[in-house]
Every structure is written in C-alpha cells, then in structure tokens.
Amino acid sequence: MIDTDIKTELCNRREKLLAKMATNSVALFFAAPEVVRSNDTHYPYRQNSDFWYFTCFNEPEAVFAVIKQHDNQARYILFNRKKDPLAETWTGYRLGQELALDTVWVDEAYCFDSINANLPKILKGKDIVYYADEQYEYADKIIKKALRAVIKEGKSTGLKPISISDWRHVVHKMRMFKSDFEINILRQACDISAQAHRRAMQKCKPNLYEYHLEAEILYEFACNGARYPAYNTIVGSGNNGCILHYENNSAPLKEGDLVLIDAGCEYHHYAGDITRTFPINGKFSQAQREIYDIVLASQYAAIKLLKPGNSINQVNQTVIKIMVEGLVKLGIMQGDVDKLIADKAYTEFYMHGLGHWLGIDVHDVGRDRLYLLKPGMVLTVEPGLYINQNADVPDQYKGIGIRIEDNILITSSGNEVLTSAVPKEPSEIEKLMANKVSVIE
Ligand code: GLY
Ligand code: MN
Ligand code: MN
C-alpha cells in the first residue's frame, strides 16, 4: 500500500460522509481506548473501526472532527497525543501534531490534552453535531462537557441550540460496500488465512493437541505480516466441534475424530474468516462423510444463490431444506421435511445464521441479514451441522460437528469466493493431508 492510495481512499470516504452531512455541522470520531489485560499490561492496541475507516491512524487518545462549513467546504481537525520523548522511550512512537497534517491528511492538528478547551469552540454556532453516543465513556464525558459549555454560552448570547445526531447508520451503510482498495486488502487477509488453514491440515496428526494446530495457524498469520487473528481461533476436535465459540483449544487430537478450525487473520485492519473441518487421521469415516456431504452440498447451493437481489436469510431457506432432507435420509431427524422446517426442529443441529458481513470487523457492520445483496458487499457463507454427543441419534453420528465457511465478494454477475485456496472437497483435503511435508516447506 502506498501513501497516495491511502490518501485517495480516505478522501473518497470523507467526501461521501460530507455529502450526507448538513451544512454547518460537525461529525466527531473517537479513537478506541487502550484496554488493560492485567495490572499494568494492556491488550495489543486495536483502533476503533469507524475511526480507522476515516483516518488510518492507529493511536489511542485521538479525536477526528469533520466539519462541513457554511460554504459546504470541508475542514478536518485531529486531536492526538503530543510528542513525548520519555513516554516514547517506554511505549513507542507517537506521531505528534506536525506530522499528522501530511500523514492523517488533516487541516489542523492539536494536542489531545486540549480537547476540552477546543471542542466547545468547534461546536459553537454549528447546527448539528454527529457522534456515536455510548460508544466510550471517555468520549461521552468529553462531548457532554463541551455541549454544556456551548449551551451555557448559547443561552447568554441567544445562539440557536445545536442538534445532536448519530452518524452510525450513515457510516455503517458506507462500510457495507467495499471499494477496490478495501477488496485488495481483504483478498490478502483471505489468502493468508487460507494458507494458514492449509498449513494446519498438513501438520495435523493424532496425539497432537488442539493448541498445536492453533500455533500453526498463528505462525502462518504472523509470518505473513498479520500479527493478530481477527477473532479468537477455534480449534475444536471431536465433540468440541459442536461448541460454536469453543476457545479452550486444549484437548488431545484423537485418532478417528474430526477437527473443526475456525480461524482468520486481521491484515491491515481487515478480517478473513474461514472454517474447515477435517479428519485428524487424514481420512474421513463413512459417518463423517455423510454429514460432511450434506453441509458441503448446502454450502455450494448457497454460494450459487448469493448474488445481487437475494438476501442472506432468503438463501438460508435453501440451506435449511438441504440439511433437513439430508438428516431425515440418515435417520437423524424423523418426520415430514416441510413440517420439521416449519417447526424449526433443525435448530437442534443448525442453530446459527448462514453468514455475516465481513470487513474491518469480522462481524462487520450492517447486522441485518435481510438486505438485498449488491456488488461490493463481502460476506461469509458458513453452514454447519452440530450433532452433540448427547443427541438422540444413531451412535455413529454422535459428536460430529462440521462447519464449512468461505468469504465471498458479491459481483454484478454473482460472486467470487475469496477463500478457495483452502480445499473443502473431501478428496482434496485427504490429498493435501497425505502430502504433509513437501507442500509446506
Ligand atoms: N469466526 C466467527 C464466525 O464465524 O462468525
Ligand atoms: Mn468463522
Ligand atoms: Mn463467520
């Protein structure tokens, strides 16, 4: 990524936001605070996704103000930490105000320490302030203090009171549609994530532990410049594959079991999100194949239908039908397929949605699965069947949890699967697992 590309991208995003703002208004974005892990150590810093979207600036204690002036011209102001040689010796580089002008591309930059003094001056006389209420306590305090000062002064000078509005519905709609710049980064996040899954398949063998596969995944992420996963890595073997958000990753990998890995890296603040399920010993059993084939068939059917004009929820109905028909055929469910669907009896085995939007957040903004798909949207497609060891089903199916998750970009003609580099056809998985050494090294 080069600076001119980032600058152009940020300009485009800011201009789209400005077009939605009223004349003589200001929108405020607050950086994520640091989060304590224990005592005086912190979690690795992760910027707020909306703040990142408009700044690509990765420091805490920062506020970005977008001002749409009376003449509709833009003015961008950043409040950020001041340079501090002592603090920088301990915790690292700070951009400071001078460099912010040409690095974050703002018209003015001031010390974060001056926000309480300066924000009332920015708000004074404006018709509207847009901000996200209750996102961070520190942000609410700053805003409320500034608003109190402005209201107090307004009362004495007769200024029209400022209205308050939330930018989230506007910004999150923007974020649902990925630009070429974003798609390029998402492709890389997906490629690295896929490579990590291939590595885990090749390294897998009985008597390792789930955390060994987690280590292989994280190793591959980090070696490719993606130091952090986009979410906690799930490595669930045997019945653990039936726990949707399993994170212990501490059990031994048993001969004859499946292992479900749900892992994706975060690359330049964009997430990959892939799940594959494969046999620990490299060969699917017949019962495992029977369930796997249902999930795979439903995923292929879904991918065919995830195209402009359809919604995730609508496509999920096809997935449910394939699953229920398959489960009835295997004797895992009994009764009339349509009635079982109407009664939602399948939720014992398939209890989550078909997919979600993907972007700067792994569960990206735009939570509604009823949106009609349009080109530029990126989402996951992740059907799964989870047959708990305690389920009342034929013995051979107990403890089988299978999910197959890919990431797709909606295009004008349909979609493009961004994560096809990791196999999901049983024969291809078995081939890759048999070829343990030569493919990785
Ligand atoms: N990894 C979280 C999810 O698949 O939604
Ligand atoms: Mn996932
Ligand atoms: Mn997902």
Side-chain angles (χ1 to χ4, degrees), residues 230-234 244-245 262-264 272-275 352-353 355-358 362-363 369 380 382 403 405 407:
Y231 52 92
N232 293 336
T233 300
I234 297 169
L244 299 181
H245 292 158
D262 185 343
D273 182 8
I274 302 177
T275 307
H352 58 71
H356 51 83
W357 314 106
L358 186 71
V362 62
H363 293 159
R369 293 187 174 110
T380 70
E382 50 181 301
R403 177 162 66 253
E405 177 174 25
N407 306 154

Side-chain angles (χ1 to χ4, degrees), residues 192-193 195-204 208-224 233 235 261 263 440-441:
I192 296 167
S193 303
Q195 185 54 32
H197 278 263
R198 291 173 66 89
R199 182 180 186 92
M201 281 181 188
Q202 290 175 276
K203 291 284 185 179
C204 183
L208 291 178
Y209 282 72
E210 291 166 346
Y211 51 72
H212 285 121
L213 298 187
E214 181 179 20
E216 299 295 347
I217 292 272
L218 298 181
Y219 175 85
E220 194 67 33
F221 288 174
C223 285
N224 285 286
T233 300
V235 182
I261 300 184
I440 285 179
E441 307 315 336

Side-chain angles (χ1 to χ4, degrees), residues 37-57:
R37 182 170 186 276
S38 84
N39 195 15
D40 59 352
T41 60
H42 294 87
Y43 284 103
Y45 184 67
R46 170 54 157 82
Q47 187 53 275
N48 171 277
S49 298
D50 296 307
F51 185 93
W52 178 261
Y53 188 69
F54 289 113
T55 64
C56 290
F57 178 55

Side-chain angles (χ1 to χ4, degrees), residues 57-59 81 83 87-89 91-96 99 103:
F57 178 55
N58 202 36
E59 288 186 30
R81 299 185 300 186
K83 296 292 285 178
E88 290 180 61
T89 301
T91 54
Y93 178 77
R94 296 177 174 195
L95 183 66
L99 287 175
T103 310

